[in-house]
Structure formats: C-alpha cells, structure tokens
C-alpha cells in the first residue's frame, strides 16, 4: 500500500502593520472600485522596520514546534523570492530562533512564487525515502514594488509554515503533478534591485498560459477530472487573478463558467489573501489555510492546487482533506495574526517602504516596532542580528 504523505500542520504569520486600499486610493486618486472589485484587494500587510522574511518565517513555524517538538524534523526548506542574502540560507536564522537540533539539513529554494510548491514536493520525496522523518517547509515573502507603480496595490507580506510527514492530519498530497515551464520575462528582480520589475498585462497572460500548460500535463499524467475537485487553491497575487485563472481553466476544458459555480469553488480560498495582499511563495498556502479554516466539512474532498511562479514555472496537483482535520486547525490564531495588525496611514506606509538597512558595515539598531515574538534587532559588520522579544 502506498504511503499517505502530506501536510500534517500549517500555521501562518503576517506583518505588524496594515494599509487599507482606501488609503492608497486616496493618495493616488484611484476609484476604490478598481481595488475592491477590479483586483479584489481590500488591504495589504506591511512589515515593521524590525521584521523581515526570517522573523515572519520563525513566527509561523514556532507554533508547529510547540505542538510537535523537533525530534522528527531533519530538514528545513525555506522558499522565498525576497531573500536577504545571496549565500546564507535564511532558514539557518530560523533554525536557530526556533531551536531546531544541529542534526538538520537547511536550504533555501527560489523560483518566484512557485518555490514553496517545489519545497513541498521535495519534502514529500524525502518523507517517502524515510517515513520516520518530517520536513519543515516554510514559505516567507515580503512583496515590494516601486511606489506609485501599478504593482503597488498588489503588495503584501506573510509566511506559511507546514510540517510534512506520513499520515498527515490535514491534507494528503497526491500524485501526479502537472508541470509547466516557459522562459518569459513577466516579473523579475535583478540582484541590484530591492523592488520587483513586472510587465503587468504580460504577467497575467503568462499565468493563464501556465494554467493551460499544467492542466494539459496533469490530465496526460492521468490526474483527476475537473469535476472531482471540491475547491481550487490558486496562487493569488491579487484575488481576482484566481477568478480569471479558474474561468480560463473551465473555458479550456469546455465547461460552464457560471459565476456561482466559480465562486463556490474559490470564494473561501480568497479570504486571507484579500486582506494580506500578495505574499508570493506563501499565497497559495494562505488560500489553503483560508479554505480549511472556513469550509463546513471537507473530509475526503479533493482540493486542486495551482502554483505559479513568474519566469515561469507552474504546477497543478491535488490534495485530499483527511478525516478529523478540523481538530488540528489554527483558525483562531490565523484570525488573530490578521486582526492584530495596526493600521498605518499612507505616509507611515511610505516611510516603511523606503526604510533600508544601512549598508556601511557599521553598528545600527533597528527601530523597535514589531509586537511579534521575533525581531531583527539591527545589523553590525554586515551581519543581521535577530532576537526573541
Ligand atoms: N471598478 C471596478 N473595476 C475596475 C475599476 C473600477 N472603478 N477600474 C478598473 N477596474 C478593473 C479593470 O477593468 C481590470 O479588470 P479586468 O482585469 O477584469 O480587465 C482591473 O480593474 C485592473 O485594472 P487594470 O488592468 O487597468 O489595472 P492596472 O493596469 O493597474 O494593472 C495589475 C493591474 C497588472 C494586476 C497590476 O497591479 C500589476 O502589475 N500587479 C503586479 C503583477 C501581478 O500581480 N501579476 C499577476 C500575474 S504574475 C503572478 O501571479 C506572480 C506574482 O505573484 C507577481
């Protein structure tokens, strides 16, 4: 009998602050309907000056360690596209902050927003090789576009930590996967830039092309039919994108795109992304968290995942929700992570956006702003200094 491997536990974290889209719209004179309806976003998480992908990742992962301990974890994979170092894996700081043993393999993965799905699939492979082991997969990103650019409305920040192992309590990950890679320049961030570059309309087209490509391969690999899925978790750079993608898939399959059917398949997956914004690698797993936290009962139901990373790589795969999953959810903690954020006005957001760590090699403390469990206390001799709060 084949092993049941998948997501045993899942926890999310997001930034200290939140900027409502009404504030952005008032600043740039945009009709709020474009944000609320046109792209389907209400607000976006903004990180404090003493938060980054490491503090978000550690905050997301710590509850998993508190519940399950560290005994079985021998690998930590952190996926990000807002990396803080070209050489050292951000996961090593996380390893230290959450107290993982030295007998751990730690590595960072990158392929735009797709990276965490690669990490999840690699984790499944590692567990299949040694079912006694668990893999800690973390997706952590701070999405940043230029101020006053079209992408500005689609920023955000979050981390999702997932414990992957045998006999998962939440979602069993199934074979096969549908895969698609195409060399396109829809979104990228050269090493010398802090903000992403994007060709917005091209990126939407590239995403839709990838939806077709992954689905074609998924069916050729003998996957389920579209009708077998109870819900679909799409990568959501903005929540309207999930609707565009699903309608595109239904059209491609010659199926009806009745709005009620589309909403039934997606509606609950967009709740967290709508108020957090784009969290790149974490986005598709925030969709899963929102679905599990809100749906009545998904026991035994199949969920389709469409992970897209610009550049581009995409993967479609299925997960089956496990009996008893609702006893293992962190719904209250997830709501708390979202509702505890402090609202900032446009000027404060802009100052945070423009904040950079000094690059002169000196000793610099960061302003104490976060109320989360971990903080980036400063930088000294080009070394980031992290503390628990
Ligand atoms: N009321 C209601 N709707 C309105 C409106 C109003 N007053 N005004 C405009 N709209 C609608 C438009 O009709 C449009 O709807 P459709 O897409 O259904 O046609 C929607 O609002 C957006 O309007 P525009 O296309 O004119 O907006 P824009 O030029 O400002 O660009 C964007 C939107 C391309 C998404 C831009 O925000 C952007 O570049 N974002 C970053 C890139 C991105 O997220 N790409 C997604 C695919 S790539 C990916 O997924 C990877 C990743 O994470 C980056």
């Amino acid at each position: 009998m084949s092993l049941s491997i998948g997501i045993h536990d899942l926890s999310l974290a997001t930034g200290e602050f939140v900027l409502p889209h009404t504030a952005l719209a008032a600043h740039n004179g945009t009709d709020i309907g474009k944000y609320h309806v046109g792209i389907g976003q209400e607000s976006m998480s903004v990180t404090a000056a003493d938060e980054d992908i490491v503090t978000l990742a550690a905050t997301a992962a710590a509850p998993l360690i508190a519940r399950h301990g560290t005994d079985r974890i021998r690998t930590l994979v952190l996926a990000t596209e807002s990396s803080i170092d070209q050489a050292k894996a951000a996961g090593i700081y996380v390893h230290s902050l959450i107290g993982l043993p030295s007998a751990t393999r730690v590595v960072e993965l990158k392929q735009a927003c797709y990276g965490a799905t690669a990490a999840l699939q690699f984790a499944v492979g590692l567990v299949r090789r040694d079912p006694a082991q668990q893999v800690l997969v973390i997706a952590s990103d701070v999405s940043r576009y230029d101020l006053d650019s079209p992408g500005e409305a689609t920023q955000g920040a979050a981390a999702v930590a997932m414990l992957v192992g045998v006999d998962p309590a939440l979602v069993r990950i199934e074979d096969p996967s549908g895969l698609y890679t195409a060399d396109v320049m829809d979104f990228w961030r050269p090493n010398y830039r802090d903000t992403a570059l994007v060709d917005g309309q091209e990126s939407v087209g590239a995403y839709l092309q990838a939806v077709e490509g992954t689905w074609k391969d998924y069916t050729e690999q003998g996957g389920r039919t579209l009708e077998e899925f109870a819900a679909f978790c799409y990568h959501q750079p903005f929540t309207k994108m999930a609707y565009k993608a699903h309608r595109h898939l239904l059209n491609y399959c010659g199926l009806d795109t009745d709005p009620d059917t589309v909403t039934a398949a997606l509606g609950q997956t967009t709740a967290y992304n709508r108020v957090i914004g784009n969290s790149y690698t974490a986005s598709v797993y925030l969709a899963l968290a929102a679905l599990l936290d809100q749906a009545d009962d998904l026991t035994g139901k199949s969920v389709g995942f469409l992970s897209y990373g610009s550049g581009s790589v995409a993967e479609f795969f299925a997960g089956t929700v496990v009996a008893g999953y609702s006893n293992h959810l962190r719904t209250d903690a997830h709501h708390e992570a979202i509702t505890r954020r402090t609202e900032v006005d446009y000027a404060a957001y802009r100052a945070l956006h423009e904040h950079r760590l000094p690059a002169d090699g000196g000793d610099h403390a960061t302003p104490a702003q976060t109320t989360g469990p971990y903080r980036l206390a400063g930088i000294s001799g080009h070394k980031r200094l992290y503390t628990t709060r």
Side-chain angles (χ1 to χ4, degrees), residues 20-258:
H21 276 75
T22 45
L24 181 61
H27 163 77
N28 61 21
T30 297
D31 183 322
I32 193 61
K34 174 169 173 178
Y35 294 151
H36 285 174
V37 181
I39 61 169
Q41 289 304 124
E42 247 165 64
S43 57
M44 56 197 193
S45 285
V46 178
T47 45
D50 52 350
E51 290 178 327
D52 66 6
I53 56 160
V54 168
T55 63
L56 292 180
T59 304
L64 304 189
I65 303 303
R67 187 184 279 179
H68 306 280
T70 60
D71 291 357
R72 293 175 61 186
I73 300 174
R74 286 181 59 81
T75 302
L76 188 175
V77 190
L78 191 152
T80 188
E81 60 182 295
S82 34
S83 189
I84 52 162
D85 195 291
Q86 297 292 347
K88 179 166 174 158
I92 300 177
Y93 300 106
V94 178
H95 170 277
S96 162
L97 288 171
I98 63 176
L100 289 178
S102 59
T104 309
R105 171 194 290 126
V106 180
V107 73
E108 186 165 313
L109 277 191
K110 178 185 71 182
Q111 186 359 72
C113 307
Y114 166 72
T117 297
L120 177 62
Q121 296 293 355
F122 296 165
V124 169
L126 283 171
V127 172
R128 191 165 286 149
R129 190 174 77 173
D130 179 3
Q133 296 184 19
Q134 294 174 327
V135 179
L136 180 57
V137 170
I138 309 177
S140 186
D141 268 303
V142 177
S143 157
R144 204 180 253 166
Y145 295 92
D146 282 343
L147 292 165
D148 302 316
S149 72
E152 185 178 16
T154 63
Q155 299 175 116
V160 171
M162 295 179 279
L163 193 61
V164 177
V166 283
D167 300 326
L170 299 180
V171 178
R172 191 170 67 242
I173 303 298
E174 293 177 4
D175 291 335
S177 279
L179 303 173
Y180 181 82
T181 288
D183 185 1
V184 288
M185 291 303 283
D186 59 330
F187 166 105
W188 68 108
R189 184 170 66 84
N191 286 347
Y192 49 82
R193 286 185 61 97
D194 295 320
T195 49
L197 294 166
V198 65
D199 181 335
Q201 301 310 332
E202 162 117 9
S203 72
V204 172
Y207 184 133
L208 297 179
Q209 207 53 48
V211 169
E212 263 183 61
T214 52
W215 182 257
K216 183 171 177 294
D217 187 50
Y218 180 71
T219 49
E220 285 169 4
Q221 300 293 321
R224 294 176 179 275
T225 63
L226 211 53
E227 293 89 340
E228 286 177 71
F229 292 99
F232 293 83
C233 294
Y234 283 89
H235 168 58
Q236 294 172 20
F238 49 96
T239 63
K240 189 77 174 289
M241 189 68 225
Y243 285 83
K244 281 181 193 285
H246 196 55
R247 279 198 302 267
H248 191 82
L249 182 57
L250 291 169
N251 271 324
Y252 178 71
C253 296
L255 296 171
D256 190 16
T257 57
D258 162 56

